[in-house]
Amino acid sequence: MRNLVITETDNFEYLKRDEKKLIIAFFHASWCGPCRALTHTLEGIDAQFDDVTLVHIDIDDAHDLVEGYNIRAVPTLIFIKNNYIVGRTSGALSSDVLINKINELKFNNQMFEFIDIAKLAIKLIKNNENIEKMPKIRYNNNI
């Protein structure tokens, strides 16, 4: 996992627009016991997900982000893909639950990409356009 610490809204919005990987926004506080437990869980699965970006956001340092994402409890994880929120959890999670959640969100995103490519193929065929315009499909066999 790529790990970043963000305290400013602008930096986070820029990251969301430009990052193609799954982003996990980890809202936490230094004084929060469950946050420390979830930090250890995230560190334990870090090596399994080189295609995920983990963003650490301390709620005491990033008030605009806390308000903008309606954070009412910590720890909270917000999962973002292609600038869309695709999942949200609150509370400490076990490593098994977190791994399943990440894999589920990565798989769902691949399904959306496949559906978009299928729609493009149908459009090209209907318009008698060259099918060579189709993007190449890349499969992730890690899922």
Side-chain angles (χ1 to χ4, degrees):
M1 248 182 247
R2 180 175 144 202
N3 284 274
L4 302 171
V5 175
I6 291 189
T7 58
E8 297 178 17
T9 303
D10 290 344
N11 292 343
F12 187 61
E13 295 304 316
Y14 176 77
L15 173 70
K16 280 183 8 186
R17 279 193 307 271
D18 293 342
E19 187 66 50
K20 301 303 177 205
K21 300 176 182 179
L22 178 66
I23 297 171
I24 302 173
F26 175 30
F27 289 87
H28 60 86
S30 59
W31 45 263
C32 168
C35 297
R36 288 191 292 274
L38 186 54
T39 297
H40 291 299
T41 300
L42 289 164
E43 289 170 352
I45 65 168
D46 183 271
Q48 297 179 44
F49 296 104
D50 60 345
D51 55 347
V52 173
T53 298
L54 177 64
V55 180
H56 297 265
I57 303 169
D58 189 313
I59 63 166
D60 295 324
D61 296 333
H63 300 286
D64 290 344
L65 287 169
V66 169
E67 187 176 316
Y69 285 92
N70 197 28
I71 303 302
R72 299 289 176 242
V74 287
T76 293
L77 298 176
I78 296 180
F79 301 87
I80 301 165
K81 184 68 178 183
N82 296 327
N83 207 17
Y84 292 102
I85 295 174
V86 294
R88 183 181 181 117
T89 66
S90 291
L93 304 172
S94 70
S95 58
D96 290 340
V97 169
L98 189 53
I99 289 168
N100 288 339
K101 181 75 171 171
I102 293 169
N103 284 330
E104 171 191 326
L105 292 171
K106 287 171 42 181
F107 174 75
N108 286 344
N109 187 65
Q110 285 185 331
M111 291 301 296
F112 288 128
E113 290 172 3
F114 180 76
I115 291 168
D116 288 343
I117 291 171
K119 287 178 182 176
L120 177 60
I122 291 168
K123 180 180 175 184
L124 290 173
I125 292 168
K126 282 183 178 177
N127 294 333
N128 292 322
E129 294 185 38
N130 188 344
I131 200 73
E132 295 300 319
K133 292 182 180 180
M134 284 292 299
K136 302 297 181 220
I137 301 173
R138 292 175 294 149
Y139 294 100
N140 183 350
N141 293 329
N142 295 329
I143 295 178

